[in-house]
Amino acid sequence: MKKNHWLFFLLCLPFWGFGANTTLRSTETSAVAASPSITYILSMPEPQTHYFEVEMRLTGAASGSKTASNGYLDIKMPVWTPGSYLIREYAKNVEGFRATAGNQPVRSEKIRKNTWRVYSTADQLSIFYKVYAYELSVRTSFIDASHGYLNGASIFMYLDHLRQQPHRLVIQPYKDWKKIATGLPAVPGQTNTYEAADYDVLVDSPVEIGNHHTFSFTAAGVPHTVAIYGDKVYDDAKLADDMKRVCEETYRVIGEHPCKDYTFIIHQTPAGGGGLEHANSTTLQVTRNAFLNGKLYQDFLSLVAHEYFHLWNVKRIRPKALGPFDYENENYTHLLWVAEGITSFYQTALLQRSGFMSSEAYLRSFAGEISGIENLPGNRVQSVAESSLDAWIKYYRPNENSVNSTVSYYSKGSVLGGLLNLAILTSTNGQKKLDDVLRLLYSTYYKKEKRGFTDEEFQAAVEKVAGRKMDDFFQKYVFGTEKIDYNGFLNPVGLQMIDASASKQDAYIGAMTRFADGKLTVTSVRRDSPAWNNGLNVNDEIISINNLRVGNDLDRILDQYHPGQTVSVQVNRSGQIKTLSMQLTGNPLAAYRIQPVTSPTPEQMNLYKKWLTVTDH
């Protein structure tokens, strides 16, 4: 990925290609090849049909092409989008691909799932295609009668050899739509025309088109634009002040802002949907009442903190595998626990630092995250490094056994980020913390080396800041699945973790269920539970326990029994009635709580204050 100072220089250069209304003339051969240029004309004449229409104008496209000597060019569509680690097959939504040279049709054919071969090397070519866009998520594109949103990887095709060339985008909004929001810089003097330094920048710049509401604020000296699709149920001034507070607290971690401007695109949707980071923008999806509810509003600010923190962690401080991108294949790394997990740690820590969350609430959140991973059998099966590598096949494709076989690099990475922060704080007597590791990575690999870092280089940076070796931490907890000694990290700041449910003696069967249409159906079975060991299956309908009919009251029925008792479970399995005998156990699920140790020392109290601080505003 190009570094920031070069990016802004390039974006300010005038573009000498043709404009949106220029008539193209082309011949199959030319004595002097034109300088390569790429312009996309994006139109949406019938938004209610959910199609974007794209014209891709190419000048001098044969220059530098390895296939031009054979008389053809290969046009490709990405199969995934950076920041969301799943092959999404965007080409499945493409229709009506055709090519022309001048006004003459050019033969073309699809040669693989995401590649179209155009049999021409004319200096000026036009590629036409339509994209069906009816999935409103931060990773895909969407258009209907009310607005259009596009994620570039799902809309714009490319030529491999021209990816480093400037790309221009001309947007022709539907007739009633007046606004466009994007992090791309506008071309002066040209309506709805934008410039990207290269293809990576183009697809890293989502676009919102319609009649959305906008407001702005300045944070860390940088202008920020907020574009919100949906009903206006919020106060601009309050929202701007709160978002600014979060942004400035995030900026303080590194102390240098990499952007000259920043754009938030926010969609209000029935169920929300998270966010996706970009180099100078982000897309957030929140529920329609997120701005009206105290807890949901805090969740919204947490999402703002997460995606905004990605400006540094991922977009600049990045694993080596995440850029330059291969848009046709998986991009593997063990470090998503750093990219996403440590970012998740900061999204909560930043709310506490900025005063939106009390220290007590932060400790409850931290304990809740620990409970979440420790209650997963998969936490003892899959390491967080393996979880990162396997994101492409497991994280976005969970099944009924995922609880037993996987752990999230988000949640466990967040916990490990918190523990690393405590370890560094303790090792340096409160003089350093995880912030200092990120500053070191930013200055060394982003600014100086101009590249990403490896697993070994990340560990080395942690050790340099901590002033000690950290082999045990990485071997046991990152690349291994050993149980974490949480109190070893918490005790130096005068805290301890206890299991608030340890004294309970609930009878436990180990099956997750769903009650619908009068039936109680098994949806998941926990590893090494009575259900697991005695053959209860997913999709079994539980009919009775000890001949007592079971409905939506499994927990109430189990309350009649004690660990060690044996029960008879009758199930309907694909139309056959079966009876299973199970010896119940105690409930192994923990409910951790973090609380002060008895009589903390002055050293512990001092370190605690250095750990949980609130920035003065």
Side-chain angles (χ1 to χ4, degrees):
M1 186 175 295
K2 290 189 186 305
K3 300 304 173 263
N4 193 61
H5 52 284
W6 276 109
L7 170 58
F8 293 144
F9 173 75
L10 284 171
L11 293 182
C12 292
L13 289 176
F15 185 84
W16 299 111
F18 45 82
N21 300 314
T22 302
T23 300
L24 300 184
R25 299 177 181 175
S26 178
T27 57
E28 287 297 318
T29 60
S30 175
V32 179
S35 177
S37 68
I38 307 98
T39 296
Y40 302 88
I41 314 297
L42 182 76
S43 60
M44 52 217 75
E46 298 179 300
Q48 77 282 358
T49 66
H50 317 303
Y51 280 92
F52 285 109
E53 298 186 6
V54 183
E55 178 184 355
M56 183 181 181
R57 294 179 177 176
L58 303 172
T59 298
S63 177
S65 170
K66 295 180 180 179
T67 65
S69 60
N70 297 322
Y72 62 81
L73 298 170
D74 286 343
I75 316 293
K76 300 180 179 181
M77 175 71 88
V79 302
W80 72 290
T81 192
S84 185
Y85 307 100
L86 177 69
I87 299 299
R88 296 187 181 275
E89 310 295 16
Y90 292 126
K92 67 185 178 182
N93 293 318
V94 173
E95 296 179 20
F97 184 97
R98 62 186 178 88
T100 65
N103 295 318
Q104 299 303 311
V106 170
R107 185 169 73 92
S108 63
E109 63 176 329
K110 192 173 185 180
I111 61 169
R112 55 184 308 230
K113 67 178 183 179
N114 70 318
T115 306
W116 288 259
R117 180 160 290 172
V118 176
Y119 291 92
S120 174
T121 57
D123 285 342
Q124 294 183 334
L125 286 170
S126 286
I127 309 298
F128 301 87
Y129 58 95
K130 298 169 66 174
V131 181
Y132 182 73
Y134 198 50
E135 182 181 352
L136 186 56
S137 79
V138 298
R139 302 165 295 273
T140 54
S141 295
F142 179 92
I143 187 169
D144 68 3
S146 65
H147 76 127
Y149 170 76
L150 63 94
N151 184 306
S154 67
I155 297 291
F156 300 123
M157 296 188 182
Y158 67 93
L159 287 84
D160 268 328
H161 68 288
L162 295 183
R163 278 178 47 188
Q164 302 307 312
Q165 294 292 322
H167 287 58
R168 176 166 288 193
L169 172 61
V170 180
I171 299 174
Q172 298 175 347
Y174 181 60
K175 60 181 180 180
D176 296 327
W177 295 350
K178 310 300 183 185
K179 294 183 178 180
I180 298 172
T182 180
L184 287 170
V187 176
Q190 299 199 36
T191 303
N192 300 336
T193 303
Y194 303 87
E195 186 96 292
D198 54 32
Y199 183 78
D200 287 347
V201 174
L202 177 71
V203 301
D204 198 30
S205 304
V207 183
E208 174 71 17
I209 310 161
N211 295 311
H212 45 271
H213 180 66
T214 60
F215 62 86
S216 61
F217 62 88
T218 298
V222 174
H224 291 61
T225 298
V226 182
I228 306 182
Y229 166 76
D231 295 336
K232 191 179 183 302
V233 294
Y234 44 85
D235 177 77
D236 287 5
K238 174 176 171 52
L239 198 53
D241 286 346
D242 290 348
M243 292 177 70
K244 174 179 179 176
R245 196 162 134 196
V246 171
C247 290
E248 291 192 331
E249 192 63 48
T250 308
Y251 154 79
R252 288 186 181 96
V253 175
I254 302 300
E256 177 179 298
H257 205 293
C259 299
K260 67 175 183 179
D261 56 53
Y262 191 86
T263 300
F264 286 98
I265 297 173
I266 302 175
H267 294 150
Q268 298 177 76
T269 65
L276 189 66
E277 71 276 3
H278 301 281
N280 71 334
S281 64
T282 187
T283 303
L284 311 177
Q285 289 191 350
V286 298
T287 57
R288 289 169 179 161
N289 59 347
F291 305 113
L292 304 175
N293 178 291
K295 175 62 169 65
L296 292 179
Y297 185 63
Q298 188 178 77
D299 290 344
F300 164 71
L301 294 178
S302 178
L303 180 62
V304 169
H306 183 104
E307 301 305 335
Y308 198 71
F309 193 76
H310 275 316
L311 261 184
W312 293 271
N313 194 33
V314 169
K315 301 313 295 185
R316 275 92 188 168
I317 306 167
R318 62 173 176 82
K320 197 171 184 179
L322 299 184
F325 294 112
D326 178 349
Y327 290 101
E328 291 193 273
N329 300 286
E330 295 88 343
N331 292 223
Y332 291 107
T333 175
H334 289 119
L335 289 165
L336 292 185
W337 73 272
V338 174
E340 292 293 350
I342 285 181
T343 299
S344 296
F345 157 71
Y346 271 100
Q347 75 180 63
T348 308
L350 289 167
L351 290 194
Q352 187 274 326
R353 293 183 190 184
S354 57
F356 285 109
M357 175 183 284
S358 68
S359 297
E360 293 76 16
Y362 176 74
L363 292 179
R364 287 196 297 271
S365 176
F366 193 22
E369 286 186 314
I370 293 171
S371 297
I373 63 170
E374 290 299 328
N375 286 332
L376 283 175
N379 186 39
R380 296 287 175 267
V381 175
Q382 184 186 52
S383 73
V384 73
E386 184 183 5
S387 174
S388 300
L389 192 73
D390 277 346
W392 299 92
I393 57 173
K394 293 187 178 181
Y395 181 77
Y396 289 97
R397 293 171 174 162
N399 60 28
E400 68 279 359
N401 194 49
S402 294
V403 66
N404 295 313
S405 59
T406 66
V407 68
S408 167
Y409 52 81
Y410 280 90
S411 56
K412 189 164 186 179
S414 179
V415 169
L416 292 181
L419 298 181
L420 277 176
N421 192 44
L422 283 168
I424 293 167
L425 193 81
T426 301
S427 296
T428 62
N429 196 28
Q431 299 306 303
K432 302 283 186 181
K433 51 188 175 181
L434 189 57
D435 295 22
D436 296 280
V437 175
L438 294 175
R439 290 176 191 140
L440 177 60
L441 293 169
Y442 183 81
S443 62
T444 301
Y445 297 106
Y446 170 62
K447 299 197 75 176
K448 183 180 178 182
E449 299 289 339
K450 296 178 171 51
R451 63 173 176 86
F453 52 84
T454 65
D455 297 64
E456 295 78 13
E457 288 166 339
F458 178 77
Q459 180 176 338
V462 172
E463 292 175 339
K464 183 174 182 179
V465 171
R468 67 179 178 90
K469 297 294 290 181
M470 298 284 288
D471 286 335
D472 277 357
F473 184 96
F474 283 88
Q475 290 172 7
K476 292 179 179 178
Y477 307 147
V478 175
F479 289 93
T481 59
E482 292 190 29
K483 187 172 179 61
I484 297 171
D485 176 16
Y486 293 102
N487 283 326
F489 293 91
L490 292 167
N491 188 260
V493 294
L495 298 174
Q496 61 181 330
M497 189 176 76
I498 65 168
D499 181 3
S501 66
S503 61
K504 294 182 178 180
Q505 288 297 308
D506 299 340
Y508 181 73
I509 195 171
M512 297 294 293
T513 59
R514 180 184 66 250
F515 184 76
D517 299 326
K519 298 179 180 180
L520 188 70
T521 305
V522 177
T523 58
S524 180
V525 176
R526 180 184 171 92
R527 186 185 297 270
D528 294 329
S529 68
W532 175 279
N533 292 328
N534 292 281
L536 189 65
N537 289 353
V538 169
N539 296 325
D540 282 352
E541 176 197 350
I542 301 178
I543 299 173
S544 67
I545 293 180
N546 283 353
N547 296 318
L548 183 64
R549 185 73 168 95
V550 177
N552 193 22
D553 56 354
L554 179 61
D555 290 339
R556 182 184 62 80
I557 291 175
L558 290 177
D559 284 343
Q560 304 175 36
Y561 300 96
H562 302 286
Q565 288 185 276
T566 298
V567 297
S568 176
V569 181
Q570 190 178 58
V571 302
N572 172 8
R573 181 176 298 166
S574 300
Q576 294 184 321
I577 304 300
K578 296 184 177 294
T579 300
L580 308 173
S581 179
M582 299 185 190
Q583 185 178 42
L584 301 175
T585 64
N587 192 334
L589 302 181
Y592 290 116
R593 184 172 68 226
I594 296 174
Q595 64 186 34
V597 299
T598 304
S599 302
T601 66
E603 291 78 12
Q604 288 173 315
M605 295 173 65
N606 182 56
L607 207 56
Y608 176 88
K609 291 178 181 177
K610 291 185 176 182
W611 176 42
L612 295 184
T613 57
V614 176
T615 303
D616 293 330
H617 292 274

